[in-house]
Amino acid sequence: MTAVVCLGSISNIKALWESRIQKHQEELKEESGRRGKASVGEISNVWEGRIQLSKLKEKVYNEDGRLILRIEKEEWKTLPACLVKLAQLQEWQLHRTSLTAIPTFIANFNNLLVLDLSRNVIDKIPHEIGRLTKLRELLLSYNRIAEVPAEISGCENLERLELAVNKDLSELPYQLSKLTQLTHLDLSMNQFSTIPKAVLDLPALEWLDMGSNKLKTLPQDIDKMQGLHTLWLQRNEISQLPDSIRLLQNLSTLVLSNNRLREIPACLQSLEDLRFVNFRDNPLELEVSLPPSEDEEEDEREMFGLQFMHTYIKESIRVRNRANELPKKDDGSFS
């Protein structure tokens, strides 16, 4: 009787032991399978990275000793991390690629001189942009950027900044004024209601486009931009110009078409370097005609240009003087 119990116990123990061994073997097999899949995944990622890097290398061109990454009208919504292996690049030109973001590893491209990512769907400029101390041109027009980070001031050699047609952009950080080399700034077709203080304080600015915004007036201290030679203000809601604009003595181009000006101020005659102006499509109070020109194209160009401006101001002064000279009736009205 006792022996039977022992045999049963031994049999149960043996079955339990074999069951544990089998379970352990299955667990080992599953773990081995997972490791195998992970290894395959890692190998796959490595190969995919190599393929992407190979494709990127095909887009690199050497032009006049400058290495340029140029991609146009191809689908690259994101840029792979393997791109950092091409850190010697000096210029990026990525247009119409549906790129959604500037990668943070942009900071690794210390030799970058030009970053041209126009016509994509980028909605943010990473703070790492400030690490590009050699950058001279940052071109981000036709994107979806709503904010410019203060770190952009770290791009100490930036000469050209283009942020046109980002639509929701309405402010700039004051730190932008620290860009002492910036000469060209395009902020057209956005939501600015005034010229930002940071722009007024840019020491080297020569060319500014703020057309197609929501400007109603110009700041009284606009004369702070002493180096400015070109000012585009078309398609805004400007109804008058500050007298201080006459102090922009280097101004040679002034475009004010499609605004709400009812007069052209006489102070503009003080701008001796002014060579091109445009007052077309403003509700000017006086009707001024120019003498006919033998060159029809020249006449068309000047219709609301520099000759028109001087003629308008002269006529405006004449009308004002004539009104002041008219005798008044006893009731105070003109006879």
Side-chain angles (χ1 to χ4, degrees):
M1 187 70 176
T2 305
V4 172
V5 173
C6 289
L7 288 173
S9 298
I10 293 172
S11 177
N12 289 338
I13 293 171
K14 182 179 180 182
L16 180 61
W17 179 253
E18 289 176 348
S19 174
R20 287 183 176 179
I21 291 176
Q22 183 178 358
K23 185 178 180 181
H24 181 64
Q25 289 176 339
E26 289 175 354
E27 289 176 350
L28 288 176
K29 187 176 181 180
E30 289 178 3
E31 179 64 22
S32 178
R34 283 195 295 270
R35 289 180 178 178
K37 288 181 180 178
S39 297
V40 170
E42 289 174 4
I43 293 172
S44 177
N45 290 337
V46 169
W47 277 105
E48 184 177 351
R50 289 180 179 177
I51 292 171
Q52 289 177 329
L53 184 59
S54 178
K55 289 172 65 176
L56 287 170
K57 285 181 177 179
E58 292 176 359
K59 308 296 181 182
V60 175
Y61 303 87
N62 189 327
E63 296 182 2
D64 299 324
R66 181 182 293 189
L67 291 177
I68 302 172
L69 174 65
R70 183 178 293 124
I71 305 176
E72 184 106 16
K73 297 180 181 179
E74 291 185 19
E75 196 77 8
W76 287 83
K77 291 184 178 181
T78 58
L79 294 173
C82 64
L83 183 56
V84 297
K85 295 184 178 181
L86 301 177
Q88 71 274 23
L89 288 170
Q90 295 168 289
E91 188 168 336
W92 288 14
Q93 294 181 8
L94 278 66
H95 306 149
R96 295 184 175 90
T97 65
S98 299
L99 187 67
T100 60
I102 301 174
T104 56
F105 60 70
I106 189 74
N108 292 300
F109 291 80
N110 299 320
N111 294 315
L112 210 57
L113 300 176
V114 176
L115 181 57
D116 184 356
L117 304 177
S118 305
R119 299 184 183 277
N120 285 290
V121 289
I122 299 166
D123 61 5
K124 184 179 180 181
I125 302 175
H127 297 166
E128 288 78 4
I129 199 76
R131 302 275 293 278
L132 304 180
T133 57
K134 294 182 180 179
L135 194 67
R136 295 178 186 170
E137 298 185 18
L138 178 57
L139 313 179
L140 296 171
S141 296
Y142 292 89
N143 276 285
R144 299 177 182 177
I145 296 165
E147 183 179 359
V148 176
E151 286 80 2
I152 197 172
S153 62
C155 302
E156 56 189 34
N157 285 295
L158 198 64
E159 300 172 0
R160 187 184 188 100
L161 176 60
E162 296 190 356
L163 294 165
V165 199
N166 276 281
K167 297 186 178 180
D168 289 332
L169 192 62
S170 61
E171 296 180 357
L172 293 175
Y174 184 71
Q175 288 85 346
L176 187 87
S177 62
K178 295 180 180 180
L179 298 176
T180 59
Q181 305 300 314
L182 193 68
T183 60
H184 180 110
L185 179 60
D186 190 349
L187 299 173
S188 60
M189 299 183 71
N190 285 300
Q191 299 295 317
F192 289 94
S193 59
T194 185
I195 298 179
K197 191 176 188 318
V199 175
L200 295 174
D201 289 342
L202 284 167
L205 193 63
E206 298 177 355
W207 194 99
L208 174 62
D209 190 345
M210 292 204 68
S212 299
N213 275 280
K214 295 184 177 180
L215 306 182
K216 293 184 178 181
T217 60
L218 299 180
Q220 290 294 328
D221 54 351
I222 192 173
D223 58 304
K224 294 175 73 174
M225 298 188 289
Q226 281 297 305
L228 202 66
H229 62 66
T230 300
L231 180 58
W232 295 79
L233 297 168
Q234 71 283 359
R235 295 186 182 87
N236 277 288
E237 302 170 17
I238 300 169
S239 58
Q240 61 182 7
L241 302 177
D243 186 66
S244 55
I245 198 170
R246 65 184 174 83
L247 300 175
L248 296 178
Q249 289 300 311
N250 288 309
L251 198 63
S252 61
T253 297
L254 176 61
V255 179
L256 283 158
S257 55
N258 290 93
N259 274 281
R260 298 182 180 179
L261 293 170
R262 300 187 65 82
E263 64 175 1
I264 300 175
C267 65
L268 292 181
Q269 291 189 124
S270 301
L271 300 175
E272 297 180 357
D273 286 346
L274 203 57
R275 296 292 178 267
F276 179 84
V277 296
N278 191 334
F279 290 96
R280 188 179 297 278
D281 297 320
N282 277 279
L284 297 170
E285 292 183 343
L286 294 180
E287 290 187 8
V288 174
S289 59
L290 300 177
S293 171
E294 296 181 0
D295 189 335
E296 294 182 1
E297 292 183 2
E298 180 71 13
D299 190 42
E300 175 66 18
R301 186 182 71 82
E302 282 291 301
M303 183 55 209
F304 291 92
L306 194 62
Q307 184 183 358
F308 173 85
M309 182 190 81
H310 287 298
T311 303
Y312 189 98
I313 292 173
K314 183 178 179 181
E315 179 64 14
S316 179
I317 293 173
R318 188 188 70 80
V319 170
R320 192 180 305 116
N321 290 339
R322 182 172 178 273
N324 291 334
E325 291 172 359
L326 285 175
K328 295 182 179 180
K329 296 180 181 180
D330 292 340
D331 60 1
S333 61
F334 293 112
S335 58

